[in-house]
Amino acid sequence: MTPEVTAFFDEATFTISYVVRDPQGSACAVVDSVLDFDYASGRTDTRSADAIVKFVQDNDLTVEWLLESHVHADHLSAAPYIQERVGGKIGIGDNITVVQDTFGKVFNEGTEFQRDGSQFDKLFKEGDSFHIGQMRGDVLHTPGHTPACLTYVIGDAAFVGDTLFMPDFGTARCDFPGGSSETLYASIQKILTLPDETRIFVGHDYKAPGRDEYAWETTVGEQKRLNIHVGEGKAKEDFVRMRDERDATLAMPRLIIPSLQVNMRAGNMPEPDEKGDVFLKVPVNKI
Ligand SMILES: [Fe+2]
């Protein structure tokens, strides 16, 4: 089964969102949507999400799923906004509870912040399957970048979130709380056991040395041959050393503080105060 995949690129956060469509009908899923956020002014904007809503409506699609590959630290999810307009169930990995526990503490959330994943419609675990129309999706738990990362394998297409990036860029960082380069290596090996012709759709692209165009589609075979971090059977120890050294040099993503607070709530803002105003916190010297 070959789903029709349409990509939506957000250059502000280098995120690729996808609409994945059953070629036999009108059912689709939206993977990793973006709610635009201007940190300086604290303002949200729905330009990116509206492009997806418009695409769904123009093509008479039925959104069955809003799939999150993980709790993103670099952009806010627009899943609830899209759900309100065109429906769909919001799904994420069941290890979201670990992420909620970690960041519930970092942001000193009160007991009203549930850490049981109940903000989401569906918690997926390794080996689960689901359907988009007649098309089957399978869930691989692929932690390492975060504890809750999933890869969604839908027909011949794998949506790998932040595990592998394009072969010339490599792999995702592993230095967020709960991240582990050893774990990511094992998860990547799991992805690379898929058939070589499996299409891989990555969660971000940043261009790469010698490449001045954004790109987001590759294959398992290409990753095995060409990925600069794990290709040609790179040994685990070499990968772990490289990844940890590189991560030590990386700055935090610009939107990590608002992203985590919103995305651990399935893309919802914290509860408004008694006047109806919404606030995000900035924990000092905590992240
Ligand atoms: Fe991420």
Side-chain angles (χ1 to χ4, degrees):
M1 186 75 86
T2 303
E4 285 172 24
V5 179
T6 305
F8 297 80
F9 184 68
D10 174 43
E11 194 162 15
T13 62
F14 308 100
T15 302
I16 305 106
S17 307
Y18 298 98
V19 174
V20 190
R21 178 185 182 172
D22 175 3
Q24 315 278 19
S26 62
C28 74
V30 176
V31 180
D32 288 339
S33 58
V34 173
L35 180 71
D36 308 298
F37 188 73
D38 179 55
Y39 204 173
S41 63
R43 286 207 157 266
T44 60
D45 194 293
T46 58
R47 202 171 352 102
S48 295
D50 287 336
I52 292 176
V53 169
K54 181 174 189 310
F55 178 84
V56 164
Q57 291 171 336
D58 287 353
N59 291 282
D60 288 324
L61 301 182
T62 305
V63 179
E64 297 194 343
W65 290 102
L66 297 152
L67 301 172
E68 298 290 327
S69 60
H70 62 295
V71 171
H72 308 280
D74 49 24
H75 68 273
L76 283 62
S77 166
Y81 176 84
I82 295 175
Q83 182 179 51
E84 210 173 281
R85 273 142 197 89
V86 289
K89 293 194 286 272
I90 303 176
I92 199 164
D94 66 346
N95 259 2
I96 178 68
T97 54
V98 175
V99 177
Q100 288 177 326
D101 199 44
T102 302
F103 291 109
K105 290 189 185 111
V106 168
F107 290 102
N108 192 26
E109 301 293 350
T111 46
E112 69 278 10
F113 174 60
Q114 301 286 318
R115 295 140 205 237
D116 58 1
S118 55
Q119 300 87 344
F120 297 81
D121 300 311
K122 174 74 185 174
L123 302 184
F124 291 112
K125 58 182 188 310
E126 169 79 18
D128 279 352
S129 63
F130 59 97
H131 282 85
I132 304 167
Q134 300 300 308
M135 198 167 53
R136 177 185 159 133
D138 290 287
V139 174
L140 302 180
H141 182 216
T142 49
H145 172 62
T146 79
C149 288
L150 296 185
T151 291
Y152 297 101
V153 182
I154 302 168
D156 75 336
F159 298 85
V160 300
D162 298 2
T163 53
L164 290 159
F165 292 132
M166 291 303 284
D168 55 2
F169 192 86
T171 57
R173 66 193 298 173
C174 298
D175 59 330
F176 297 150
S180 156
S181 51
E182 285 193 34
T183 306
L184 182 66
Y185 184 86
S187 293
I188 288 171
Q189 298 312 312
K190 193 193 288 188
I191 294 169
L192 297 182
T193 63
L194 294 168
D196 277 2
E197 60 277 16
T198 306
R199 292 183 288 163
I200 286 191
F201 293 91
V202 299
H204 293 288
D205 187 60
Y206 308 90
K207 300 181 178 171
R211 171 165 62 87
D212 199 35
E213 301 271 298
Y214 291 111
W216 42 77
E217 180 178 348
T218 173
T219 64
V220 167
E222 278 179 4
Q223 293 284 17
K224 281 204 272 199
R225 281 200 317 279
L226 303 173
N227 189 288
I228 57 167
H229 294 171
V230 293
E232 295 180 315
K234 174 74 67 74
K236 179 175 163 182
E237 309 75 67
D238 296 338
F239 171 77
V240 166
R241 192 180 323 112
M242 177 284 305
R243 190 67 263 173
D244 292 350
E245 281 175 15
R246 184 172 153 81
D247 287 350
T249 70
L250 299 177
M252 281 293 129
R254 187 169 50 88
L255 295 180
I256 185 168
I257 286 174
S259 298
L260 291 172
Q261 289 173 83
V262 169
N263 296 340
M264 71 183 185
R265 294 177 164 88
N268 293 295
M269 291 288 165
E271 287 296 311
D273 70 1
E274 59 286 354
K275 288 209 282 210
D277 294 323
V278 172
F279 294 90
L280 293 164
K281 296 177 183 171
V282 178
V284 175
N285 298 331
K286 289 278 246 180
I287 291 182

